[in-house]
Amino acid sequence: GDFLTPSSPANGLPMATQKGFHIEHVVGQGRIMRASRRYEPGDTVLREPPCLTWPHDDAEQLISSFMCASADVQAAVLDMAAPDADAGLSCIVSDHARMEAVAERAARSAERSSLAARMAEAYDGPRAADLFEHLLLIGDINAHAFGKRAGLFPIAAKANHSCSPNCGHSTRVGGEMHYFATCTIEAGDEIVISYLDQLWSTTREERRRVLLTQKLFYCTCPRCSRADSGGGGQPPPSRASLTPSTQLWDRYCTAW
């Protein structure tokens, strides 16, 4: 049945409505979102307000919003995915493709490091720059845009990617994240969304390149694992964008 995440005004975390799923850890996959009941197409899976928001055109507000947040919100943000710089690179067969991915990741990492170092000058403590760089990476991997703002959604962020998702997602007025079934989901199935937009007629190599350079993982979803995995297929009926409008965040984020 429906249930609410443990949350209250006292701990500062926004209340999220969940409908019949749980988060579990799977060896080799990390945390996944698992359905605990059957969903029909169109059923709501999750509604979650953001725990942090900031203007698209001001990445520094991500840091200041985090610093002003409650301890529970800070813990939820720091629990979000932040892959290592070399994540997924060993799966690339082509030496040329691997070198391209390494170069692009290094360039983006240097931008985050430079911004973090500049912002850390206003704070005491030698590890401020490290924390800020880590937060920018979390924003890079996890942020969703709504209107003129971006936000972080700790529960929604636990859903993994698939190029053949069973769940669509969108943000509503005020930035509420809405996950909804796009096909029948049986109890026990993993709930997966697409991190990509406008790539449904592209090749497996193109999808993997985007995910490797912008999301820092090598896609092994069923669609990409098939021998014949070119273009085709249909995108989710709706989506939320991950495209803050500053030059830095445009480099960091992609449309979902």
Side-chain angles (χ1 to χ4, degrees), residues 5 12-16 18 21 23 31-33 46-54 72-81 138 142-144 151-159 175 177 179:
T5 57
L13 282 170
M15 191 76 76
Q18 303 179 47
F21 69 84
I23 308 300
R31 292 172 295 190
I32 69 170
M33 187 177 287
L46 167 70
R47 288 178 178 169
E48 180 184 13
C51 71
L52 282 185
T53 71
W54 63 95
D72 294 277
V73 168
Q74 290 181 347
V77 170
L78 292 175
D79 189 49
M80 299 176 81
I138 288 174
N142 299 280
H144 289 264
L152 293 174
F153 302 83
I155 297 174
K158 302 300 189 295
M177 178 61 70
Y179 277 13

Side-chain angles (χ1 to χ4, degrees), residues 9 22 26 56 59 64 89 95-96 109 134 147 150 156 161-162 167 185 195 199 202:
H22 59 277
V26 176
H56 283 182
S64 60
L89 294 177
D95 290 339
H96 177 71
S109 178
H134 186 71
H161 165 82
S162 173
C167 196
I185 302 174
Y195 294 177
L199 286 174
T202 59

Side-chain angles (χ1 to χ4, degrees), residues 177-211:
M177 178 61 70
H178 178 208
Y179 277 13
F180 54 93
T182 57
C183 61
T184 299
I185 302 174
E186 301 290 350
D189 288 350
E190 182 181 0
I191 296 171
V192 288
I193 64 171
S194 174
Y195 294 177
L196 304 175
D197 191 33
Q198 299 177 354
L199 286 174
W200 285 83
S201 59
T202 59
T203 66
R204 170 178 55 193
E205 288 68 28
E206 290 173 297
R207 296 194 304 272
R208 281 177 166 171
R209 177 185 57 79
V210 172
L211 292 168

Side-chain angles (χ1 to χ4, degrees), residues 5-256:
T5 57
S7 180
S8 70
N11 65 25
L13 282 170
M15 191 76 76
T17 304
Q18 303 179 47
K19 297 194 171 187
F21 69 84
H22 59 277
I23 308 300
E24 65 180 62
H25 186 274
V26 176
V27 176
Q29 289 184 263
R31 292 172 295 190
I32 69 170
M33 187 177 287
R34 179 87 68 187
S36 53
R37 71 164 179 86
R38 179 186 173 96
Y39 291 95
E40 299 295 341
D43 285 352
T44 293
V45 176
L46 167 70
R47 288 178 178 169
E48 180 184 13
C51 71
L52 282 185
T53 71
W54 63 95
H56 283 182
D57 57 356
D58 191 354
E60 295 186 17
Q61 287 296 315
L62 165 59
I63 306 300
S64 60
S65 295
F66 175 86
M67 298 300 288
C68 294
S70 70
D72 294 277
V73 168
Q74 290 181 347
V77 170
L78 292 175
D79 189 49
M80 299 176 81
D84 294 334
D86 61 350
L89 294 177
S90 62
C91 298
I92 306 176
V93 176
S94 166
D95 290 339
H96 177 71
R98 188 184 307 109
M99 290 175 62
E100 284 188 338
V102 169
E104 182 166 344
R105 287 188 184 186
R108 293 170 62 177
S109 178
E111 291 184 11
R112 287 193 297 264
S113 180
S114 176
L115 177 58
R118 178 169 59 81
M119 296 179 63
E121 294 174 357
Y123 293 83
D124 294 328
R127 300 199 62 186
D130 291 340
L131 171 63
F132 296 166
E133 186 173 356
H134 186 71
L135 289 171
L136 291 172
L137 176 59
I138 288 174
D140 183 353
I141 301 300
N142 299 280
H144 289 264
F146 55 94
K148 296 182 178 180
R149 300 186 69 81
L152 293 174
F153 302 83
I155 297 174
K158 302 300 189 295
N160 284 328
H161 165 82
S162 173
C163 295
S164 298
N166 57 19
C167 196
H169 61 296
S170 66
T171 47
R172 298 183 168 193
V173 176
E176 181 185 67
M177 178 61 70
H178 178 208
Y179 277 13
F180 54 93
T182 57
C183 61
T184 299
I185 302 174
E186 301 290 350
D189 288 350
E190 182 181 0
I191 296 171
V192 288
I193 64 171
S194 174
Y195 294 177
L196 304 175
D197 191 33
Q198 299 177 354
L199 286 174
W200 285 83
S201 59
T202 59
T203 66
R204 170 178 55 193
E205 288 68 28
E206 290 173 297
R207 296 194 304 272
R208 281 177 166 171
R209 177 185 57 79
V210 172
L211 292 168
L212 268 168
T213 56
Q214 299 181 359
K215 296 298 180 183
L216 308 189
F217 71 91
Y218 185 85
C219 188
T220 57
C221 75
R223 183 182 174 198
C224 286
S225 297
R226 291 197 296 267
D228 180 14
S229 183
Q234 295 296 321
S238 184
R239 51 90 173 163
S241 172
L242 184 62
T243 52
S245 60
T246 62
Q247 181 178 7
L248 179 64
W249 281 93
D250 282 342
R251 289 285 305 279
Y252 284 172
C253 302
T254 64
W256 286 36

